Amino acid sequence: MGILAMVALLVAGLFGGWPPADRDAPPAPPAVTLLPGAGDGLVLGVTHAQYSLDSWLTPGQRTSGEQILGATPMLQNQHIMGFGVGNPEPAPGSFDWSRLDERMDLIERTGGTPVITLCCAPDWMKGGAPGTTDWDDLATAPLPAHFDDFARLSATVAKRYPQVRYFQVWNELKGFWDAEAGAWDAKGYTDLYNQVYDAVKAVRPDALIGGPYVVLNTWSSAAATDHPSEMRGPYGVVDQRSLDVVEYWNQHKHGADFVALDASTGTRDKGLITTPDKASQLYADATRWARSLTGLPVWWSEFYPETAPPPTGTRTTAESAENPVPLDQARAVATLDAVARAAEAGAATMLLWQPEASDDLPYAALWSAARPGAEVLRPTSLTAAWTWLAPRLREGLVDVQRPADVLQFSAPGGEVVVNPRPESGLVRSGGLSVRVPPLAIRLPG
């Protein structure tokens, strides 16, 4: 069977009757409470970005997307400014919660467990005029003199949304790069973190707060950077300056409930330097390092498994030439492989950045882009496997195995098999040897 046809059948099997007949009826929220880090399982989730099932979509688009989003309980993360919402405090003491309220309603309506990322800061905290918003300046950090103002805003957010227990402080150290020192301003970030931590805990002692949400940059080799670390593997060498941030924050933080990381498998200088499945070892190595250092649950706030064509000189088989793998499917395979690596290492959470597909974000998503004229939003090559795995991973029911380089997620009631290689592989299933085509996803049944 051709790969396109196989994926279509598998997705249709899991999402039978798609889209729903009654497009005005949102899915019923599942009655599930997620507690990342409290058990042995990996909790999957998404981060809503600029476009995500907003009110201007057609009823068919919005409802079909909400059914995908609500098909399984997940963490759903939203920033407090930007990334689909407006300025929450355009002037001191003057609040606008309209867009953030809409996103929180979406999360509740689809049965998600909400997460809030406390980023970014209103312009007046960055030296701008009160009442103005320059979206080109979104990534600027608040001035140290306004750290306390941002902490108060964060506490106000925590009080406004008592249903939210999980809070990430800031995003990728935006605005905290010290160009003169050629390093991250770990002290400046940690000062902001501590003020936010103290302010939120004062009004919401039940809140679970984490940081530093730093990007673990990698290089193709130790010779490619002046700041090599001992964390290295087929993915390259991790930049020591990224690890320094985690170490400084861990030593000087007032407290934390989890440690937040972010990484791509592409290196800074040469992009992806090996096959996607080998590069994903980064998520295992970094997870084990952070757990050992901090003793905290590890969250992958963002993860970007790169895909690439086979290296120059790789022979194209007749099979792969006859059935070329769609890019969407290759991205889904790389994503599932990254999830497996993190799960094997004991990560607590992985958040998929932007559940809606986008031409400018070359990574896997859960539904198609909301293009004009499209009647509904469609599941992607990742959707069915993600939906099947999410509740089983969360409960710690999945056994991850790699027989003969084929990835196998086994759980009571079935298994998801992923072949991350550009050639066919064999896997034992039900006492039989089953051939899995290149870069294919085989779902239960």
Side-chain angles (χ1 to χ4, degrees):
M1 181 184 298
I3 292 175
L4 277 172
M6 180 183 70
V7 171
L9 283 174
L10 294 175
V11 172
L14 192 63
F15 293 94
W18 193 272
D22 182 0
R23 292 181 186 155
D24 295 324
V32 175
T33 300
L34 306 180
L35 295 174
D40 295 330
L42 171 66
V43 180
L44 299 181
V46 298
T47 292
H48 294 288
Q50 184 174 1
Y51 304 110
S52 197
L53 306 181
D54 294 302
S55 58
W56 51 81
L57 298 184
T58 68
Q61 290 174 334
R62 192 164 57 250
T63 304
S64 57
E66 288 187 13
Q67 180 158 341
I68 295 173
L69 188 60
T72 188
M74 290 188 293
L75 293 178
Q76 295 186 39
N77 174 46
Q78 177 61 54
H79 292 62
I80 65 171
M81 180 175 172
F83 308 97
V85 304
N87 189 334
E89 193 178 5
S94 176
F95 299 99
D96 179 359
W97 305 109
S98 56
R99 285 288 295 144
L100 188 52
D101 282 351
E102 286 183 17
R103 284 289 173 90
M104 300 309 293
D105 289 344
L106 169 65
I107 294 171
E108 181 177 5
R109 197 164 60 246
T110 54
T113 295
V115 178
I116 282 182
T117 295
L118 298 167
C119 182
C120 295
D123 290 51
W124 61 271
M125 297 184 191
K126 301 178 289 193
T132 64
T133 301
D134 180 0
W135 290 109
D136 291 335
D137 202 33
L138 180 65
T140 299
L143 298 170
H146 288 291
F147 282 2
D148 59 340
D149 291 313
F150 186 77
R152 279 193 292 270
L153 172 59
S154 299
T156 302
V157 169
K159 286 191 295 184
R160 182 174 181 81
Y161 303 106
Q163 72 272 33
V164 180
R165 290 196 64 199
Y166 307 107
F167 296 88
Q168 301 183 107
V169 180
W170 210 241
N171 170 298
E172 297 187 332
L173 271 69
K174 286 178 167 59
F176 284 99
W177 177 255
D178 185 337
E180 184 175 345
W184 296 107
D185 181 8
K187 181 182 183 305
Y189 166 79
T190 305
D191 287 347
L192 173 67
Y193 173 90
N194 283 336
Q195 292 193 44
V196 170
Y197 180 90
D198 292 343
V200 172
K201 286 286 190 178
V203 299
R204 288 283 310 282
D206 63 320
L208 301 177
I209 303 171
Y213 200 150
V214 61
V215 180
L216 302 185
N217 289 316
T218 58
W219 301 87
S220 61
S221 67
T225 174
D226 293 332
H227 305 277
S229 74
E230 293 304 311
M231 189 185 299
R232 57 191 68 185
Y235 48 80
V237 178
V238 175
D239 193 310
Q240 181 62 46
R241 293 170 294 184
S242 298
L243 304 183
D244 288 345
V245 171
V246 183
E247 292 171 348
Y248 183 94
W249 168 84
N250 184 57
Q251 183 178 355
H252 296 90
K253 66 186 185 305
H254 288 178
D257 299 289
F258 58 91
V259 55
L261 304 176
D262 176 340
S264 164
T265 56
T267 63
R268 296 278 294 179
D269 56 322
K270 292 186 178 180
L272 190 67
I273 60 172
T274 186
T275 57
D277 59 311
K278 292 180 180 178
S280 66
Q281 181 65 33
L282 170 64
Y283 299 112
D285 290 354
T287 295
R288 293 189 178 99
W289 174 82
R291 289 184 70 189
S292 175
L293 175 71
T294 67
L296 296 170
V298 176
W299 282 38
W300 284 101
S301 305
E302 299 178 37
F303 68 107
Y304 300 103
E306 298 282 351
T307 55
T312 302
T314 299
R315 191 162 127 194
T316 301
T317 65
E319 176 183 42
S320 61
E322 180 182 350
N323 297 304
V325 177
L327 184 56
D328 171 67
Q329 184 173 321
R331 291 170 177 169
V333 168
T335 298
L336 293 172
D337 192 83
V339 167
R341 296 290 189 188
E344 290 172 298
T349 295
M350 294 195 90
L351 298 178
L352 186 72
W353 184 267
Q354 191 171 298
E356 180 170 308
S358 171
D359 293 339
D360 61 358
L361 190 71
Y363 301 96
L366 294 183
W367 61 81
S368 58
R371 302 191 188 283
E375 186 177 356
V376 296
L377 304 179
R378 299 289 182 181
T380 69
S381 296
L382 176 64
T383 313
W386 184 275
T387 302
W388 190 89
L389 283 169
R392 293 164 175 83
L393 282 169
R394 181 185 67 243
E395 297 300 326
L397 300 176
V398 177
D399 181 26
V400 179
Q401 301 174 335
R402 295 181 182 269
D405 295 326
V406 175
L407 173 61
Q408 193 168 349
F409 297 91
S410 299
E415 61 189 12
V416 170
V417 178
V418 179
N419 183 4
R421 302 183 304 162
E423 61 271 350
S424 292
L426 291 176
V427 66
R428 296 289 295 177
S429 180
L432 301 174
S433 291
V434 179
R435 187 180 68 84
V436 185
L439 298 177
I441 302 170
R442 182 176 178 271
L443 300 177

